């Protein structure tokens, strides 16, 4: 039981996501940061308010971290389907690699 | 991007790039904002030359000029969202006698005018700071701070010359200068010719005057 709980905790901290999720995370981080930067410039320039611009930029960055960093379910929707393991085959494979 | 640590590193790495580019754009936005600073008048009010010592234990006696002045300037257009503070200073200039193209120049007075976004940085007493903050309540920029109307201002600094001789100097004039310190970008100074949308500083120079003779001690 304790082992299971520990494994779960480690998985959560590690936060691994699948390949499709990685692609999505990359896209999201790039897009969100850029959009918030453009927004912060436009709002700051039209309202002539540098503090507001900085705050929009920082809040946008925090939001991006929140969206991208944790292993949200939408990053783990396409798990890789591995082939079934054969006992005999795997033995052969081990032998060939150790040569 | 396969685990959380990797995603933190990637996102932070791109954040630094975005922050730098955003700062560059803010710096460049200065160049599309017109500036047209001008000074109405700058006049010396009372000018005195006295003998003094550079410090208490000095045996060297030098002449010091104390120039009171009045000025009138409108620097409103220097206050944009990217302006942190404007430094305004007045110099006294006079040609070195017997030398061509040598101008003496010394600062007699200066002032820092902060933008509301930089009020918390100003070095003022708590009471004065509260008053300053209240004057710009709810405003992100306050161009009215660029309107200068100074009457009979005492100089902050008395000036002298390396030779210690200053009395009766000819062709002296006062000049108002400014420098704009932005949040992001380059430091800019008062300019003598137009650069893009930034007009040259109009006025800001007084008529020529002569420093008076040394003030005689009235003790008998």
């Amino acid at each position: 039981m304790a082992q299971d709980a520990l494994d779960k905790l480690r998985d959560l901290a590690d936060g691994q996501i699948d390949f499709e999720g990685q692609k999505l995370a990359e896209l999201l981080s790039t897009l969100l940061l850029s959009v918030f930067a453009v927004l912060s410039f436009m709002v700051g320039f039209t309202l002539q308010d540098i503090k507001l611009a900085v705050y929009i930029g920082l809040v946008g960055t925090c939001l991006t971290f929140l969206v991208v960093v944790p292993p949200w379910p939408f990053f783990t929707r396409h798990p890789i389907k591995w082939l079934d393991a054969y006992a005999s085959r795997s033995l052969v494979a081990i032998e060939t690699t150790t040569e | 991007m396969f685990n959380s640590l990797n995603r933190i590193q990637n996102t932070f790495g791109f954040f630094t790039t975005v922050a730098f580019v955003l700062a560059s754009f803010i710096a460049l936005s200065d160049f599309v904002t017109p500036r047209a600073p001008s000074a109405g008048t700058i006049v010396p009010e009372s000018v005195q030359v006295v003998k003094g010592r550079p410090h208490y234990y000095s045996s060297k006696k030098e002449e010091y000029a104390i120039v009171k002045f009045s000025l009138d300037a409108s620097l409103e257009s220097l206050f944009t969202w990217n302006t942190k503070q404007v430094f305004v200073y007045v110099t006294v200039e006079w040609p070195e006698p017997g030398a061509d193209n040598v101008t003496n120049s010394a600062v007699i007075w200066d002032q820092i005018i902060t933008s509301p976004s930089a009020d918390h940085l100003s070095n003022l007493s708590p009471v004065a700071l509260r008053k300053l903050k209240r004057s710009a309540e709810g405003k992100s920029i306050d161009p009215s701070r660029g309107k200068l109307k100074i009457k009979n201002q005492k100089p902050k600094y008395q000036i002298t010359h390396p030779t210690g001789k200053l009395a009766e100097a000819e062709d002296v004039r006062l000049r108002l200068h400014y420098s704009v310190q932005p949040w992001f970008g380059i430091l800019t100074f008062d300019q003598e010719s137009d650069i893009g949308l930034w007009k040259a500083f109009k006025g800001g120079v007084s008529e020529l005057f002569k420093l008076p003779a040394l003030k005689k001690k009235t003790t008998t």
Side-chain angles (χ1 to χ4, degrees), chain A residues 57-68:
Chain A
L58 288 182
V59 167
T61 305
C62 291
L63 218 80
T64 309
F65 270 95
L66 216 69
V67 167
V68 170

Side-chain angles (χ1 to χ4, degrees), chain A residues 12-18 21-23 25-27 29-31 33-34 36-38 40-41 43-45 47-51 53-54 57-58 61 64-65 68-72 75, chain B residues 1-16 18-19 21-22 24-30 32-33 79-83 116-120 139-141 183-184:
Chain A
L12 204 70
D14 206 22
Q16 292 206 5
I17 57 178
D18 60 50
Q22 288 177 37
K23 200 174 156 193
E26 175 98 48
L27 189 76
S29 73
T30 311
L31 218 68
L33 283 174
S34 311
F36 277 112
V38 170
S40 110
F41 181 82
V43 171
F45 189 68
L47 298 181
Q48 289 285 297
D49 193 339
I50 195 98
K51 275 188 177 172
V54 170
L58 288 182
T61 305
T64 309
F65 270 95
V68 170
V69 172
W72 297 115
F75 287 139
Chain B
M1 302 281 256
F2 67 101
N3 68 7
S4 292
L5 186 65
N6 204 259
R7 288 196 292 278
I8 290 173
Q9 287 180 329
N10 267 299
T11 311
F12 183 76
F14 189 58
F15 161 71
T16 55
V18 167
V21 172
L22 178 60
S24 314
F25 271 89
I26 292 173
L28 289 174
S29 79
D30 270 357
V32 298
T33 315
F79 289 86
T80 67
W81 71 318
N82 192 21
T83 306
S117 54
D119 275 352
H120 59 286
K139 274 187 268 185
S140 57
I141 53 167
W183 283 108
F184 303 108

